[in-house]
Amino acid sequence: MKHGSLEVIESGFLTTYQDLGRRMHRALGLPRGGAMDARTLTLLNLLLRNERGATGIEFCQRGPTLKFKDEAVVSVGGDLCPTVDGEKRRAWSRMMVKAGQVLKCGSLRSGSWGYLCIQGGFSVEDFYGSTSIHPHLELGGGTGKPLVEGDELFFQPSENALSSLSLSPDLWGQNDDHTYRCLSGPQMDWFSASTHEQFYSTPYKISVTSSRVGYRLEGAPLSRKKSFQKKELTSEGVSVGTVQITNEGQPIILAADAQSIGGYPKLAQVISTDLERLVQRPAGSEVRFQQVTHEEALQRRQEQEREYTQLEMVLSLGEEY
Amino acid sequence: MRYDRLGESAVILKDEALQDPLSVFTYGVERLRQHPIDGIEDALPCYDSLTVYYNPLKISYESMVEALTQVFSEEDKRCDLPERKRHQIPVCYDAACAPDLESVAAFSGLSVQDVISLHTEGEYRVAGIGFTPGFGFLSGLNHKLNCPRKDRPRKSVPVGAVGIAGRQTGVYPSASSGGWNLIGQTPVEMVNFSLADPLLLSVGDAVEFYEISYGEFTEWKK
């Protein structure tokens, strides 16, 4: 089937292709990549009855304006007021855009990362298991660089007609107590009980230097035990959500485009369901952490999985009537 | 074998009793590649550790540890590894290519020539690939060249810059940020994603450096 296309009229900010990231190839030194807020991307894809990881577009604060050459059904999320040919539409809804019409995503009223998904997903050449663009490496899907004015984007049009439907914005879970659950990290014994207490009871502020690579936090220094002051950690694997502590005692939370190997001690690990919320907080916001057990972390993950599966089922049933 | 959990979907393996953990772990990675375990997604050897990444919705932590224990049973530790590549990497140690060579020499109490000799005499092994695509962490640096990483990392290092920090040496494959001390530069391409085999180095490979002149360096780059 011929691809549909659309043109970028205005690029927005840090607008990149994102899917759910790559699961392999860390041995090449490639980052996991994928949407910072995988939950929003997944919900929008489910709404459009796409594969959960169908390639969408992510942007930071300011979304793109796109002129559609071919008809398509799209949806955008989070807190946006999109328009089609100037007419107001709703975020979290299936929006039919006709050939020749212009979709303006607009700017997020809250949150840091916004998403646009298209029925059928964007057609982008896979780069070692993902279509994700890693802006700091200039590698990944398409040119490896964020989208710019004039770019032509392609998508696979679908034969399946979709009824008009929208998700409640509450589904995303805007009610955020600003506390994020963590598991203990492998180097937790480098830090004293009082340092642990400090990490799990005092607020930290998200620094403006935060990015897709990592979120730097500022706050009361987290110092090591005396016997570990001069210790150097031999580089070893890290993970998205890993909380590293710098030599100045400041936390860095590794995000989607983080490197695969690190040499800073790892105090904790933010659980994936909570990291997706944390990264939506703007620079200057305060975050707090709460320690949980592995059982609790797994339960939370399984809960989210059930939620996705149920939504999938409800939406597929909806189409049969 | 010690298993340290790294969050919900990864675990770091270490075994202090192993004489050659890098060989054991690269062997294990090869085994996993040939006999994949459903739910285990990736495995990353680095120095004396192996980080295994898995999907907790597909395999439980306990099942995974059981499966990995089998892979690393006594039997397997004694097996031979496939032939690893040997690389001879040309390096220009000229001042134009080596902004930190003098300070490293001063710190070590050695002459610049001694630093170059010690660096080129070394027999190195690729102990891990990470930091940036294609960046190989090399073990085997002569202890006389140990030096701390720079207080303020450079925002951008030249492509092919050769650095040392702590007990490690390596080549920067791209103009990334870098905190290591730059003692030379290679004209050889370390990474090229338009090739079927994009990386020059693989974990376990042997590496040696040899000196080339600035003239040879610029000629090579053409």
Side-chain angles (χ1 to χ4, degrees):
Chain A
M1 195 186 305
K2 194 172 147 299
H3 283 117
S5 75
L6 47 129
E7 189 192 333
V8 178
I9 303 297
E10 221 178 53
S11 62
F13 186 56
L14 265 186
T15 303
T16 58
Y17 291 122
Q18 296 299 337
D19 55 15
L20 292 176
R22 61 177 60 79
R23 300 295 150 188
M24 297 163 52
H25 301 300
R26 284 174 184 82
L28 293 176
L30 291 173
R32 188 206 76 179
M36 287 291 274
D37 174 2
R39 180 174 170 74
T40 297
L41 184 82
T42 302
L43 291 174
L44 294 176
N45 273 328
L46 287 177
L47 176 63
L48 294 171
R49 303 204 59 214
N50 286 341
E51 291 290 317
R52 289 190 202 179
T55 303
I57 283 172
E58 171 185 274
F59 53 88
C60 182
Q61 292 293 334
R62 221 173 61 234
T65 299
L66 307 163
K67 182 171 179 137
F68 283 68
K69 299 207 175 137
D70 298 288
E71 186 175 279
V73 181
V74 297
S75 58
V76 300
D79 194 2
L80 292 161
C81 301
T83 61
V84 174
D85 277 359
E87 219 179 67
K88 281 189 196 162
R89 300 287 186 92
R90 283 164 61 195
W92 302 102
S93 74
R94 290 170 178 166
M95 297 185 286
M96 165 71 86
V97 185
K98 296 198 173 48
Q101 288 192 312
V102 174
L103 164 71
K104 181 170 176 187
C105 293
S107 293
L108 288 167
R109 288 185 301 187
S110 63
S112 299
W113 304 95
Y115 295 87
L116 164 83
C117 290
I118 192 164
Q119 188 190 14
F122 284 102
S123 305
V124 184
E125 203 175 313
D126 169 290
F127 182 75
Y128 289 94
S130 173
T131 56
S132 170
I133 289 177
H134 314 295
H136 74 300
L137 291 175
E138 292 189 357
L139 276 180
T143 60
K145 296 186 194 161
L147 305 184
V148 293
E149 188 184 307
D151 278 349
E152 197 176 356
L153 314 184
F154 300 95
F155 64 95
Q156 193 69 55
S158 176
E159 299 236 291
N160 303 325
L162 289 175
S163 61
S164 78
L165 196 72
S166 57
L167 296 175
S168 162
D170 291 340
L171 192 70
W172 184 82
Q174 292 277 15
N175 291 332
D176 196 333
D177 60 1
H178 303 169
T179 300
Y180 307 95
R181 286 164 283 202
C182 294
L183 294 164
S184 309
Q187 281 84 44
M188 61 173 282
D189 60 333
W190 288 36
F191 303 91
S192 63
S194 59
T195 300
H196 282 270
E197 173 68 37
Q198 188 190 314
F199 180 70
Y200 290 113
S201 64
T202 61
Y204 283 83
K205 207 167 71 151
I206 297 178
S207 160
V208 293
T209 59
S210 300
S211 70
R212 275 187 57 86
V213 174
Y215 272 41
R216 288 179 168 265
L217 304 182
E218 291 158 353
L222 295 152
S223 38
R224 302 181 193 179
K225 284 178 185 161
K226 274 216 165 68
S227 50
F228 286 87
Q229 290 292 351
K230 299 258 162 144
K231 196 169 160 93
E232 283 267 341
L233 179 68
T234 305
S235 299
E236 57 186 29
V238 294
S239 193
V240 174
T242 293
V243 182
Q244 297 181 311
I245 308 297
T246 66
N247 292 344
E248 286 75 46
Q250 301 291 275
I252 299 178
I253 306 179
L254 300 183
D257 282 348
Q259 63 209 56
S260 42
I261 287 177
Y264 286 127
K266 302 180 278 296
L267 174 65
Q269 182 82 22
V270 181
I271 68 175
S272 59
T273 53
D274 286 26
L275 185 67
E276 291 163 349
R277 289 189 292 121
L278 191 158
V279 297
Q280 286 287 11
R281 306 291 309 291
S285 319
E286 270 187 359
V287 295
R288 283 171 184 271
F289 300 101
Q290 181 199 343
Q291 189 167 22
V292 294
T293 62
H294 279 283
E295 288 70 34
E296 287 172 294
L298 182 61
Q299 261 167 34
R300 185 62 202 97
R301 188 79 173 263
Q302 288 169 334
E303 257 167 42
Q304 186 179 79
E305 179 59 25
R306 273 196 296 275
E307 187 192 10
Y308 290 159
T309 314
Q310 278 165 8
L311 182 60
E312 224 160 15
M313 202 168 59
V314 163
L315 289 173
S316 72
L317 288 175
E319 296 311 314
E320 289 171 24
Y321 293 96
Chain B
M1 184 74 74
R2 204 172 83 224
Y3 291 80
D4 281 325
R5 298 187 77 166
L6 176 67
E8 323 137 73
S9 48
V11 64
I12 302 179
L13 278 67
K14 283 185 187 156
D15 187 345
E16 246 118 75
L18 292 175
Q19 294 280 28
D20 186 2
L22 191 59
S23 293
V24 171
F25 289 138
T26 47
Y27 174 83
V29 169
E30 190 54 38
R31 266 285 295 258
L32 286 171
R33 217 197 312 271
Q34 291 176 21
H35 309 282
I37 294 166
D38 191 30
I40 292 185
E41 292 172 339
D42 207 357
L44 186 66
C46 189
Y47 287 105
D48 57 0
S49 70
L50 178 71
T51 307
V52 177
Y53 298 85
Y54 65 100
N55 183 341
L57 296 172
K58 277 196 171 165
I59 187 171
S60 73
Y61 174 70
E62 292 73 24
S63 305
M64 191 198 50
V65 168
E66 208 182 294
L68 289 175
T69 307
Q70 285 234 298
V71 171
F72 291 106
S73 64
E74 285 301 331
E75 203 65 45
D76 298 332
K77 282 180 196 168
R78 285 193 285 269
C79 286
D80 288 325
L81 270 182
E83 190 72 28
R84 284 292 167 186
K85 288 187 267 176
R86 303 194 65 85
H87 307 275
Q88 296 191 307
I89 300 180
V91 178
C92 173
Y93 295 94
D94 191 276
C97 296
D100 298 322
L101 184 51
E102 277 192 21
S103 57
V104 166
F107 180 86
S108 318
L110 299 165
S111 68
V112 160
Q113 195 47 59
D114 282 339
V115 172
I116 296 173
S117 299
L118 288 171
H119 195 248
T120 52
E121 275 160 18
E123 283 177 16
Y124 306 97
R125 216 162 150 214
V126 181
I129 306 256
F131 174 61
T132 56
F135 183 98
F137 290 86
L138 305 179
S139 61
L141 183 69
N142 192 304
H143 68 276
K144 292 184 188 151
L145 295 178
N146 281 8
C147 53
R149 53 192 84 199
K150 294 179 83 67
D151 279 335
R152 289 173 161 267
R154 288 183 168 83
K155 283 231 159 102
S156 163
V157 301
V159 173
V162 176
I164 56 179
R167 295 194 305 213
Q168 304 162 103
T169 185
V171 180
Y172 286 96
S174 58
S176 64
S177 63
W180 291 16
N181 302 284
L182 305 184
I183 60 163
Q185 196 176 351
T186 181
V188 166
E189 203 173 49
M190 307 301 291
V191 64
N192 184 337
F193 280 107
S194 60
L195 301 173
D197 226 341
L199 263 51
L200 179 70
L201 303 178
S202 304
V203 172
D205 285 358
V207 174
E208 281 169 19
F209 295 107
Y210 67 94
E211 188 177 1
I212 57 171
S213 69
Y214 185 69
E216 288 171 306
F217 173 81
T218 46
E219 196 54 45
W220 201 307
K221 290 281 270 186
K222 280 196 193 145

